[in-house]
Amino acid sequence: PASEASEAPAAAEARLEKGQLVLAKGLVGARQLNNMPGRILSFDESTGRYGVIFMFDGNQKSLKRENLDKLEVASEACLREIFASEVGSQRLKQLLEEGELGFAEFGDEDLRRVVTRLLRAGYWADNTTIMEEIAGDLNLAEGPGGLQAIDLIRELENAEELSAALVRVGAQVNADAEVKAVFDQLKAKGQRRC
């Protein structure tokens, strides 16, 4: 049929090439890889999946095309549109200038939205280390227990009696497996930086 013939060229054009930089998206079982840059290693004709290596941890995954976007820097016009249209843009600019963009800042939904758009637009594609760090913090904040962990961090930051707050927050962290997992990941991340 004619419709199948017209779809074939589009599918061929969508094929990703070995070595192509990509961005993972829409993953459920491996949420931590969403918005993370990787590189195409291979394509398996029998499964229709791509072999992808993720640079931040060296892990390889077999992913469907629908879970991968080419990682290319968007046009200046596209980036300007993102910055002009997103409420969180000014806050992002300030945090970047001050070197203060990190996990706890992602309690702000507007900031999460603009950062997600910029990640997908390849804004940080020229520095995948920064891109990975930002995407990792964003994924952690949006994952199970992430926003609760941010609330607890803010509670500690604003505590007048830090010792009592540490005991209270520690008990809350230990009582919730998801929140504890977030703090464990933050602790491991902090140790890798040292």
Side-chain angles (χ1 to χ4, degrees):
S3 64
E4 287 179 23
S6 65
E7 289 176 13
E13 289 176 45
R15 170 88 40 104
L16 299 169
E17 298 298 321
K18 183 176 180 179
Q20 170 74 48
L21 287 175
V22 292
L23 199 65
K25 66 177 184 177
L27 298 173
V28 177
R31 288 189 78 259
Q32 74 280 7
L33 297 177
N34 287 327
N35 301 310
M36 287 292 188
R39 187 173 301 277
I40 299 295
L41 295 175
S42 61
F43 179 73
D44 184 335
E45 293 281 347
S46 66
T47 63
R49 290 176 175 256
Y50 289 88
V52 179
I53 187 166
F54 289 91
M55 296 168 270
F56 78 102
D57 64 1
N59 279 333
Q60 295 181 25
K61 295 286 183 192
S62 178
L63 300 175
K64 297 176 189 172
R65 174 64 176 96
E66 66 196 45
N67 296 116
L68 298 168
D69 280 337
K70 282 185 178 181
L71 179 56
E72 300 171 321
V73 179
S75 68
E76 284 294 320
C78 178
L79 295 173
R80 274 195 302 276
E81 185 280 324
I82 292 171
F83 278 105
S85 66
E86 289 291 343
V87 175
S89 294
Q90 291 299 16
R91 181 146 187 257
L92 174 62
K93 286 178 184 178
Q94 178 184 0
L95 290 167
L96 290 171
E97 286 171 8
E98 296 170 356
E100 294 294 325
L101 181 62
F103 170 76
E105 303 307 323
F106 288 118
D108 179 335
E109 183 178 348
D110 293 330
L111 185 64
R112 290 195 309 271
R113 187 175 45 253
V114 70
V115 166
T116 298
R117 286 188 68 195
L118 288 169
L119 284 165
R120 291 184 182 150
Y123 183 71
W124 292 282
D126 61 337
N127 189 333
T128 56
T129 302
I130 289 175
M131 186 175 197
E132 292 162 354
E133 186 174 325
I134 291 170
D137 285 344
L138 179 64
N139 290 345
L140 195 55
E142 291 183 330
L147 296 179
Q148 297 94 320
I150 291 170
D151 288 344
L152 293 173
I153 289 169
R154 294 291 180 227
E155 183 179 331
L156 287 172
E157 289 175 341
N158 297 319
E160 290 189 28
E161 178 51 50
L162 188 56
S163 294
L166 281 169
V167 170
R168 188 173 55 254
V169 167
Q172 289 175 306
V173 168
N174 288 325
D176 186 322
E178 290 176 343
V179 174
K180 184 171 183 341
V182 171
F183 276 96
D184 288 345
Q185 289 178 51
L186 289 170
K187 181 179 174 184
K189 182 178 171 182
Q191 289 174 345
R192 284 193 304 266
R193 287 186 184 163
C194 296

Short mmCIF file of all heavy atoms in Angstrom, two decimals, residues 48-87:
data_model
loop_
_atom_site.label_atom_id
_atom_site.label_comp_id
_atom_site.label_asym_id
_atom_site.label_seq_id
_atom_site.Cartn_x
_atom_site.Cartn_y
_atom_site.Cartn_z
N GLY A 48 15.02 -3.98 16.94
CA GLY A 48 14.71 -2.58 16.66
C GLY A 48 15.21 -1.65 17.75
O GLY A 48 14.72 -0.54 17.92
N ARG A 49 16.21 -2.10 18.50
CA ARG A 49 16.74 -1.32 19.60
C ARG A 49 18.17 -0.87 19.32
O ARG A 49 18.91 -1.55 18.63
CB ARG A 49 16.69 -2.10 20.91
CG ARG A 49 15.28 -2.32 21.42
CD ARG A 49 15.27 -3.18 22.68
NE ARG A 49 13.94 -3.30 23.22
CZ ARG A 49 13.52 -2.65 24.29
NH1 ARG A 49 14.34 -1.85 24.95
NH2 ARG A 49 12.30 -2.81 24.74
N TYR A 50 18.50 0.24 19.95
CA TYR A 50 19.84 0.81 19.84
C TYR A 50 20.66 0.47 21.08
O TYR A 50 20.14 0.57 22.20
CB TYR A 50 19.77 2.33 19.71
CG TYR A 50 19.22 2.79 18.40
CD1 TYR A 50 17.85 2.96 18.21
CD2 TYR A 50 20.06 3.05 17.33
CE1 TYR A 50 17.34 3.37 17.00
CE2 TYR A 50 19.56 3.46 16.10
CZ TYR A 50 18.20 3.62 15.95
OH TYR A 50 17.70 4.03 14.74
N GLY A 51 21.90 0.11 20.87
CA GLY A 51 22.83 -0.01 21.97
C GLY A 51 23.36 1.39 22.27
O GLY A 51 23.86 2.07 21.38
N VAL A 52 23.18 1.83 23.51
CA VAL A 52 23.58 3.18 23.90
C VAL A 52 24.49 3.09 25.11
O VAL A 52 24.19 2.37 26.07
CB VAL A 52 22.34 4.04 24.26
CG1 VAL A 52 22.75 5.45 24.67
CG2 VAL A 52 21.35 4.08 23.10
N ILE A 53 25.58 3.83 25.07
CA ILE A 53 26.44 3.93 26.25
C ILE A 53 26.22 5.31 26.87
O ILE A 53 26.17 6.31 26.16
CB ILE A 53 27.93 3.70 25.94
CG1 ILE A 53 28.74 3.65 27.23
CG2 ILE A 53 28.48 4.72 24.96
CD1 ILE A 53 30.14 3.09 27.07
N PHE A 54 26.03 5.31 28.17
CA PHE A 54 25.83 6.57 28.89
C PHE A 54 27.16 6.98 29.50
O PHE A 54 27.79 6.23 30.24
CB PHE A 54 24.74 6.42 29.95
CG PHE A 54 23.39 6.31 29.30
CD1 PHE A 54 22.85 5.09 28.97
CD2 PHE A 54 22.70 7.46 28.97
CE1 PHE A 54 21.63 5.00 28.32
CE2 PHE A 54 21.47 7.39 28.34
CZ PHE A 54 20.94 6.15 28.01
N MET A 55 27.56 8.17 29.15
CA MET A 55 28.91 8.64 29.48
C MET A 55 29.13 8.84 30.98
O MET A 55 30.22 8.64 31.48
CB MET A 55 29.20 9.91 28.70
CG MET A 55 29.22 9.64 27.20
SD MET A 55 29.21 11.11 26.20
CE MET A 55 27.47 11.38 25.98
N PHE A 56 28.07 9.22 31.71
CA PHE A 56 28.26 9.54 33.11
C PHE A 56 28.62 8.33 33.96
O PHE A 56 29.29 8.46 34.98
CB PHE A 56 27.05 10.28 33.70
CG PHE A 56 25.88 9.40 34.04
CD1 PHE A 56 25.63 9.04 35.35
CD2 PHE A 56 25.02 8.95 33.06
CE1 PHE A 56 24.55 8.25 35.67
CE2 PHE A 56 23.93 8.17 33.36
CZ PHE A 56 23.70 7.80 34.67
N ASP A 57 28.19 7.13 33.54
CA ASP A 57 28.51 5.95 34.35
C ASP A 57 29.06 4.79 33.53
O ASP A 57 29.41 3.75 34.08
CB ASP A 57 27.29 5.50 35.15
CG ASP A 57 26.12 5.02 34.30
OD1 ASP A 57 26.24 5.01 33.06
OD2 ASP A 57 25.09 4.65 34.89
N GLY A 58 29.12 4.95 32.21
CA GLY A 58 29.66 3.89 31.36
C GLY A 58 28.72 2.73 31.12
O GLY A 58 29.08 1.77 30.44
N ASN A 59 27.50 2.79 31.67
CA ASN A 59 26.54 1.70 31.48
C ASN A 59 26.01 1.70 30.06
O ASN A 59 25.88 2.76 29.44
CB ASN A 59 25.36 1.84 32.44
CG ASN A 59 25.68 1.32 33.81
OD1 ASN A 59 26.53 0.44 33.97
ND2 ASN A 59 25.02 1.85 34.82
N GLN A 60 25.74 0.50 29.57
CA GLN A 60 25.15 0.34 28.25
C GLN A 60 23.72 -0.15 28.40
O GLN A 60 23.44 -1.00 29.25
CB GLN A 60 25.97 -0.65 27.43
CG GLN A 60 27.36 -0.16 27.13
CD GLN A 60 28.14 -1.15 26.28
OE1 GLN A 60 27.58 -1.94 25.55
NE2 GLN A 60 29.46 -1.09 26.39
N LYS A 61 22.84 0.40 27.59
CA LYS A 61 21.43 0.00 27.59
C LYS A 61 20.98 -0.24 26.17
O LYS A 61 21.51 0.33 25.22
CB LYS A 61 20.54 1.11 28.20
CG LYS A 61 20.79 1.39 29.66
CD LYS A 61 20.22 0.29 30.51
CE LYS A 61 20.41 0.63 31.98
NZ LYS A 61 20.15 -0.47 32.85
N SER A 62 19.97 -1.08 26.04
CA SER A 62 19.34 -1.34 24.76
C SER A 62 18.00 -0.60 24.78
O SER A 62 17.11 -0.94 25.56
CB SER A 62 19.13 -2.84 24.59
OG SER A 62 18.48 -3.12 23.38
N LEU A 63 17.88 0.44 23.93
CA LEU A 63 16.71 1.31 24.00
C LEU A 63 16.00 1.43 22.65
O LEU A 63 16.63 1.37 21.60
CB LEU A 63 17.12 2.71 24.46
CG LEU A 63 17.77 2.80 25.84
CD1 LEU A 63 18.23 4.22 26.12
CD2 LEU A 63 16.83 2.31 26.92
N LYS A 64 14.68 1.64 22.73
CA LYS A 64 13.87 1.86 21.55
C LYS A 64 14.14 3.27 21.01
O LYS A 64 14.47 4.18 21.77
CB LYS A 64 12.39 1.75 21.88
CG LYS A 64 11.96 0.38 22.36
CD LYS A 64 10.50 0.42 22.74
CE LYS A 64 10.08 -0.86 23.42
NZ LYS A 64 8.71 -0.73 23.95
N ARG A 65 13.90 3.45 19.73
CA ARG A 65 14.09 4.76 19.09
C ARG A 65 13.23 5.83 19.76
O ARG A 65 13.64 6.97 19.92
CB ARG A 65 13.77 4.66 17.59
CG ARG A 65 13.80 5.99 16.84
CD ARG A 65 15.21 6.57 16.86
NE ARG A 65 15.33 7.78 16.08
CZ ARG A 65 15.24 9.02 16.60
NH1 ARG A 65 15.01 9.19 17.88
NH2 ARG A 65 15.39 10.07 15.83
N GLU A 66 12.01 5.44 20.17
CA GLU A 66 11.09 6.41 20.78
C GLU A 66 11.62 6.97 22.10
O GLU A 66 11.14 7.99 22.58
CB GLU A 66 9.71 5.78 20.98
CG GLU A 66 9.72 4.65 22.01
CD GLU A 66 8.49 3.77 21.95
OE1 GLU A 66 8.08 3.39 20.82
OE2 GLU A 66 7.94 3.46 23.02
N ASN A 67 12.62 6.32 22.68
CA ASN A 67 13.21 6.78 23.94
C ASN A 67 14.52 7.55 23.73
O ASN A 67 15.26 7.79 24.69
CB ASN A 67 13.44 5.61 24.89
CG ASN A 67 12.15 4.96 25.31
OD1 ASN A 67 11.92 3.80 25.00
ND2 ASN A 67 11.29 5.70 25.98
N LEU A 68 14.77 7.93 22.49
CA LEU A 68 16.02 8.64 22.17
C LEU A 68 15.75 9.84 21.28
O LEU A 68 14.99 9.75 20.32
CB LEU A 68 17.00 7.69 21.47
CG LEU A 68 17.45 6.47 22.25
CD1 LEU A 68 18.16 5.49 21.33
CD2 LEU A 68 18.33 6.89 23.41
N ASP A 69 16.37 10.95 21.60
CA ASP A 69 16.39 12.13 20.73
C ASP A 69 17.83 12.40 20.36
O ASP A 69 18.73 12.21 21.18
CB ASP A 69 15.85 13.37 21.48
CG ASP A 69 14.34 13.42 21.53
OD1 ASP A 69 13.69 12.80 20.68
OD2 ASP A 69 13.82 14.09 22.45
N LYS A 70 18.03 12.88 19.13
CA LYS A 70 19.37 13.34 18.75
C LYS A 70 19.73 14.49 19.67
O LYS A 70 18.90 15.34 19.97
CB LYS A 70 19.39 13.83 17.30
CG LYS A 70 19.40 12.75 16.28
CD LYS A 70 19.55 13.36 14.89
CE LYS A 70 19.62 12.31 13.83
NZ LYS A 70 19.78 12.91 12.50
N LEU A 71 20.96 14.50 20.11
CA LEU A 71 21.44 15.59 20.96
C LEU A 71 22.18 16.58 20.08
O LEU A 71 23.30 16.33 19.65
CB LEU A 71 22.34 15.06 22.08
CG LEU A 71 22.92 16.11 23.02
CD1 LEU A 71 21.81 16.94 23.66
CD2 LEU A 71 23.74 15.44 24.11
N GLU A 72 21.50 17.65 19.80
CA GLU A 72 22.06 18.72 18.98
C GLU A 72 21.66 20.04 19.62
O GLU A 72 20.58 20.16 20.18
CB GLU A 72 21.49 18.67 17.56
CG GLU A 72 21.78 17.37 16.85
CD GLU A 72 21.05 17.23 15.53
OE1 GLU A 72 19.88 17.64 15.43
OE2 GLU A 72 21.67 16.71 14.61
N VAL A 73 22.53 21.01 19.54
CA VAL A 73 22.22 22.32 20.10
C VAL A 73 21.16 22.98 19.23
O VAL A 73 21.30 23.05 18.01
CB VAL A 73 23.48 23.21 20.19
CG1 VAL A 73 23.14 24.57 20.74
CG2 VAL A 73 24.53 22.54 21.05
N ALA A 74 20.11 23.45 19.87
CA ALA A 74 19.03 24.13 19.16
C ALA A 74 19.53 25.47 18.62
O ALA A 74 20.57 25.98 19.05
CB ALA A 74 17.85 24.35 20.11
N SER A 75 18.77 26.01 17.72
CA SER A 75 19.13 27.31 17.14
C SER A 75 19.05 28.40 18.21
O SER A 75 18.38 28.25 19.23
CB SER A 75 18.16 27.66 16.01
OG SER A 75 16.86 27.91 16.55
N GLU A 76 19.75 29.49 17.95
CA GLU A 76 19.70 30.66 18.85
C GLU A 76 18.26 31.12 19.04
O GLU A 76 17.85 31.47 20.14
CB GLU A 76 20.56 31.80 18.32
CG GLU A 76 22.04 31.59 18.52
CD GLU A 76 22.45 31.60 19.99
OE1 GLU A 76 21.93 32.42 20.77
OE2 GLU A 76 23.29 30.76 20.36
N ALA A 77 17.48 31.11 17.96
CA ALA A 77 16.09 31.55 18.04
C ALA A 77 15.28 30.65 18.98
O ALA A 77 14.48 31.14 19.79
CB ALA A 77 15.46 31.57 16.64
N CYS A 78 15.51 29.36 18.89
CA CYS A 78 14.80 28.41 19.77
C CYS A 78 15.19 28.64 21.23
O CYS A 78 14.34 28.68 22.11
CB CYS A 78 15.11 26.98 19.34
SG CYS A 78 14.34 25.73 20.39
N LEU A 79 16.48 28.79 21.48
CA LEU A 79 16.94 29.02 22.86
C LEU A 79 16.40 30.34 23.40
O LEU A 79 15.97 30.42 24.55
CB LEU A 79 18.47 28.98 22.92
CG LEU A 79 19.10 27.62 22.61
CD1 LEU A 79 20.62 27.74 22.55
CD2 LEU A 79 18.67 26.57 23.61
N ARG A 80 16.39 31.39 22.56
CA ARG A 80 15.82 32.68 22.99
C ARG A 80 14.35 32.53 23.35
O ARG A 80 13.88 33.09 24.33
CB ARG A 80 16.00 33.74 21.90
CG ARG A 80 17.33 34.45 21.94
CD ARG A 80 17.34 35.73 21.10
NE ARG A 80 17.02 35.49 19.69
CZ ARG A 80 17.91 35.12 18.77
NH1 ARG A 80 19.17 34.94 19.11
NH2 ARG A 80 17.53 34.93 17.52
N GLU A 81 13.62 31.74 22.54
CA GLU A 81 12.20 31.52 22.81
C GLU A 81 12.00 30.83 24.15
O GLU A 81 11.12 31.19 24.92
CB GLU A 81 11.57 30.70 21.67
CG GLU A 81 10.06 30.51 21.80
CD GLU A 81 9.64 29.41 22.76
OE1 GLU A 81 10.34 28.38 22.84
OE2 GLU A 81 8.62 29.59 23.46
N ILE A 82 12.83 29.85 24.44
CA ILE A 82 12.72 29.15 25.72
C ILE A 82 12.96 30.13 26.88
O ILE A 82 12.17 30.21 27.82
CB ILE A 82 13.71 27.96 25.81
CG1 ILE A 82 13.30 26.87 24.81
CG2 ILE A 82 13.78 27.41 27.23
CD1 ILE A 82 14.31 25.75 24.66
N PHE A 83 14.04 30.89 26.80
CA PHE A 83 14.34 31.84 27.87
C PHE A 83 13.27 32.92 27.99
O PHE A 83 12.93 33.34 29.10
CB PHE A 83 15.73 32.47 27.68
CG PHE A 83 16.85 31.61 28.19
CD1 PHE A 83 17.66 30.92 27.30
CD2 PHE A 83 17.08 31.48 29.55
CE1 PHE A 83 18.70 30.12 27.78
CE2 PHE A 83 18.10 30.68 30.04
CZ PHE A 83 18.92 29.99 29.14
N ALA A 84 12.70 33.35 26.86
CA ALA A 84 11.69 34.42 26.90
C ALA A 84 10.34 33.92 27.41
O ALA A 84 9.60 34.68 28.05
CB ALA A 84 11.52 35.02 25.51
N SER A 85 10.03 32.66 27.15
CA SER A 85 8.68 32.17 27.47
C SER A 85 8.57 31.48 28.83
O SER A 85 7.45 31.27 29.31
CB SER A 85 8.22 31.21 26.39
OG SER A 85 9.01 30.03 26.38
N GLU A 86 9.65 31.14 29.45
CA GLU A 86 9.60 30.38 30.70
C GLU A 86 9.76 31.28 31.92
O GLU A 86 10.70 32.07 32.01
CB GLU A 86 10.68 29.30 30.72
CG GLU A 86 10.42 28.16 29.78
CD GLU A 86 9.25 27.28 30.18
OE1 GLU A 86 8.80 27.33 31.35
OE2 GLU A 86 8.76 26.54 29.32
N VAL A 87 8.84 31.13 32.85
CA VAL A 87 8.84 31.91 34.09
C VAL A 87 10.13 31.71 34.89
O VAL A 87 10.65 32.65 35.48
CB VAL A 87 7.61 31.53 34.96
CG1 VAL A 87 7.63 32.23 36.30
CG2 VAL A 87 6.33 31.82 34.20
#
